[in-house]
Amino acid sequence: MNATLDAKLELDNDTYKTLLESTRAIPWKIDWSTMQFAYIGPQIEELLGWEPSSWVSVQDWADRMHPEDRDWAVNFCVAQSKAGVDHEADYRALKKNGDYVWIRDVVHVVRKENGDVDSLIGFMFDISERKRTEEQLAALRRELEELSFKDGLTGVANRRRFDVVMETEWDHACRNKQSISVLMLDIDCFKQYNDHYGHLEGDQCLKRVAKLLTVAASRPRDFVARFGGEEFIIVMPDTNETEAYKIASRCRELIASEHIPHNGSDVSKYLTASIGLSTVTPNCGDVSLRFIEQTDRRMYQAKQRGRNTVVND
């Protein structure tokens, strides 16, 4: 009777083993007291290149993990195992040829009758394809987010992005008692430009102006955006009035020196721009909108004073 039972159990074990080793998931077992592998499926060699016999201890598991993932993955798995909590972890596993594969380890904690941890059993899954898909989707989301903040025509930031950046820099200036400068620029006689050259040429003109502004305001925190129509705005954090005036003048001069023909202008035979400029060290509670409105008024004052100029008072 016992012989028959033993034979049946052996047959059952062989059956389970065959089933486990026929799946793409890689089964394994670790003895908790020795931290040694009691078993790992032969599929591991096909996936990572390491022979099953080379998986001796948990140190082999840790050593064959990407350095950036090793500390958190090992600490997490050990802590969860000690607490008797089933868990799973995603990490990059080292292949024998030096490449890495994304692995998901699903772990079940086996306890003794007295509650102590007896062993860990689990499955490793190759999730590289899923990770590639996730990364592609994340990249697509970033691209879509970037596009949502970018002016489709000129490539500089749009009004939506300006609103976010302006509030961020305004709050930063308030907290740190720093000056902030903003200039608003309007292309002179742009309606006449479109009427004379056509809207396609008008679009090309806007692109050229946007590029020139990014050249003039090229410091790391300078921010250029299309405010609407033929208007552009530049935010210059931690910039005093003297420095801001130099950048504003450079914007005006670069546009003028580009010699973009403008036969419809009553200012010059070439394209010009009018600029309003404001600088302030805001106090907490001040509203940035009033500051922008002041800069907008100065831009229109520049147009009233004959255009192709900078007004900062």
Side-chain angles (χ1 to χ4, degrees):
M1 183 70 174
N2 288 339
T4 302
L5 181 59
D6 289 343
K8 186 177 185 303
L9 289 174
E10 183 177 346
L11 178 61
D12 287 344
N13 286 337
D14 289 343
T15 301
Y16 292 140
K17 185 176 180 182
T18 300
L19 287 172
L20 287 173
E21 294 180 356
S22 66
T23 66
R24 295 185 64 85
I26 303 167
W28 55 265
K29 180 179 180 181
I30 291 174
D31 181 74
W32 184 255
S33 62
T34 63
M35 289 296 172
Q36 303 282 308
F37 274 92
Y39 174 78
I40 190 164
Q43 305 100 311
I44 195 70
E45 186 170 1
E46 180 182 351
L47 178 61
L48 299 181
W50 305 101
E51 299 81 357
S53 60
S54 69
W55 296 80
V56 178
S57 71
V58 292
Q59 191 61 50
D60 297 311
W61 168 70
D63 289 343
R64 293 166 182 174
M65 197 178 292
H66 194 289
E68 294 178 4
D69 301 337
R70 185 177 298 132
D71 285 346
W72 78 261
V74 171
N75 292 337
F76 171 75
C77 290
V78 169
Q80 295 296 96
S81 298
K82 284 181 177 179
V85 179
D86 293 347
H87 55 280
E88 57 185 56
D90 295 352
Y91 56 86
R92 288 162 289 181
L94 176 67
K95 297 180 68 173
K96 197 171 184 178
N97 66 5
D99 295 334
Y100 285 94
V101 172
W102 273 102
I103 292 290
R104 172 163 294 171
D105 236 336
V106 179
V107 184
H108 173 65
V109 182
V110 179
R111 287 184 172 276
K112 301 176 183 178
E113 290 185 2
N114 64 2
D116 293 341
V117 177
D118 176 75
S119 58
L120 307 176
I121 59 174
F123 289 92
M124 293 181 184
F125 297 88
D126 177 5
I127 60 168
S128 298
E129 188 61 37
R130 181 186 304 177
K131 281 293 183 180
R132 279 192 291 269
T133 301
E134 290 175 356
E135 289 168 1
Q136 289 170 355
L137 289 174
L140 180 60
R141 282 194 294 270
R142 288 193 297 270
E143 183 179 350
L144 290 174
E145 182 177 343
E146 183 179 341
L147 288 173
S148 71
F149 284 125
K150 183 180 290 186
D151 178 58
L153 176 63
T154 63
V156 298
N158 60 16
R159 175 66 180 272
R160 179 184 176 192
R161 182 61 175 166
F162 162 74
D163 290 339
V164 174
V165 170
M166 184 65 205
E167 285 309 306
T168 300
E169 294 294 0
W170 184 263
D171 290 344
H172 185 273
C174 287
R175 289 194 307 271
N176 296 280
K177 301 300 180 185
Q178 293 177 342
S179 58
I180 182 171
S181 296
V182 168
L183 72 80
M184 292 187 69
L185 178 149
D186 184 86
I187 298 175
D188 294 327
C189 308
F190 190 69
K191 180 182 183 301
Q192 291 85 341
Y193 188 96
N194 274 331
D195 291 343
H196 186 85
Y197 296 100
H199 288 281
L200 291 179
E201 281 300 316
D203 289 348
Q204 293 303 314
C205 174
L206 290 171
K207 290 179 184 178
R208 292 176 71 177
V209 169
K211 186 175 292 186
L212 292 170
L213 296 182
T214 59
V215 171
S218 59
R219 300 174 306 169
R221 289 177 65 193
D222 290 342
F223 174 81
V224 180
R226 185 180 178 191
F227 199 67
E230 66 272 22
E231 294 182 2
F232 293 86
I233 194 162
I234 301 178
V235 182
M236 297 166 281
D238 195 16
T239 303
N240 62 35
E241 187 173 2
T242 301
E243 294 170 331
Y245 191 84
K246 290 179 182 178
I247 294 174
S249 297
R250 180 161 167 72
C251 290
R252 187 193 67 79
E253 291 163 2
L254 281 175
I255 292 171
S257 63
E258 190 74 1
H259 290 163
I260 301 172
H262 190 351
N263 289 333
S265 173
D266 56 8
V267 181
S268 168
K269 62 180 180 179
Y270 299 117
L271 195 78
T272 59
S274 299
I275 299 173
L277 175 65
S278 298
T279 301
V280 70
T281 301
N283 295 312
C284 292
D286 289 350
V287 180
S288 63
L289 178 60
R290 294 174 185 170
F291 179 64
I292 299 301
E293 289 174 343
Q294 173 185 280
T295 310
D296 185 53
R297 286 194 298 271
R298 289 179 176 179
M299 180 184 70
Y300 279 97
Q301 288 171 9
K303 300 182 84 64
Q304 292 168 357
R305 295 182 189 181
R307 299 188 172 92
N308 191 27
T309 190
V310 178
V311 170
N312 64 335
D313 55 18

